[in-house]
Amino acid sequence: MDFDWLSSLTVLLKDCNATESDVVDSVDEETALSLFNVSVNLTDCNIDYTPPSNFKTESRVIIKVGGINLTSNIVSPSASVQAFKVSLSDLRLYICNYRYSHNNENTLLSCAHRFLNNDDLCTNGHAHSLGRNAVSWEDVLFRMNFVNLIVLDSLDTVILKSNDDKVRRKEPAMGVALTMGHLSIFACQDSFSCFHRTYNEWFI
């Protein structure tokens, strides 16, 4: 059979008197007019990075993103231009100037002593003291000697991708438009230098 059996079965269930030609025409029409709205939302995301022990810079970086939203309208068959939109909100970057281990967080996990080795856990009770009487997660980071380096309230990115193979060479195959909200940098010389060295070692 030249057409998808599942689509054909769906059409037949809608109209038991439909002929095979009617089914083919209906499937072709539905395929030509397919439009999918894709939306992906992520909330309260953390990116936690500690440089490897063979790196010279001792640091730990935590990037907290309040929300990530990805939206797109996908047309089948594909349109000449496909658009994607990515939005970020409440982005914050924290950094400390030494390799703060993850043992404290590991100790607070459920059944941590059953599944993790003693080398990955904190056995001196320091992990519980970090969260004791803490009013917020920012208070815990402050006790861990993290400083808030960067705050970005919003970032909207629109990506336009051309699917036409006959695009003129003068016209780019992809276009990106950025709309940035309010960016705040709270950095002394030491914290910014630590972040700069950490980024360079990771990127290079």
Side-chain angles (χ1 to χ4, degrees), residues 73-140:
N73 290 329
I74 300 178
V75 182
S76 178
S78 61
S80 58
V81 177
Q82 183 67 51
F84 304 90
K85 183 178 180 180
V86 181
S87 299
L88 304 178
S89 62
D90 192 18
L91 186 146
R92 298 172 181 267
L93 187 145
Y94 298 86
I95 190 170
C96 66
N97 59 355
Y98 61 95
R99 289 187 180 92
Y100 206 106
S101 67
H102 296 83
N103 293 17
N104 297 296
E105 294 95 319
N106 293 340
T107 305
L108 300 177
L109 295 175
S110 177
C111 302
H113 294 277
R114 179 180 301 177
F115 299 105
L116 298 178
N117 299 324
N118 291 332
D119 296 337
D120 299 324
L121 300 175
C122 183
T123 58
N124 56 7
H126 182 58
H128 295 278
S129 64
L130 285 175
R132 186 174 301 157
N133 299 326
V135 295
S136 66
W137 56 268
E138 291 180 327
D139 188 19
V140 176

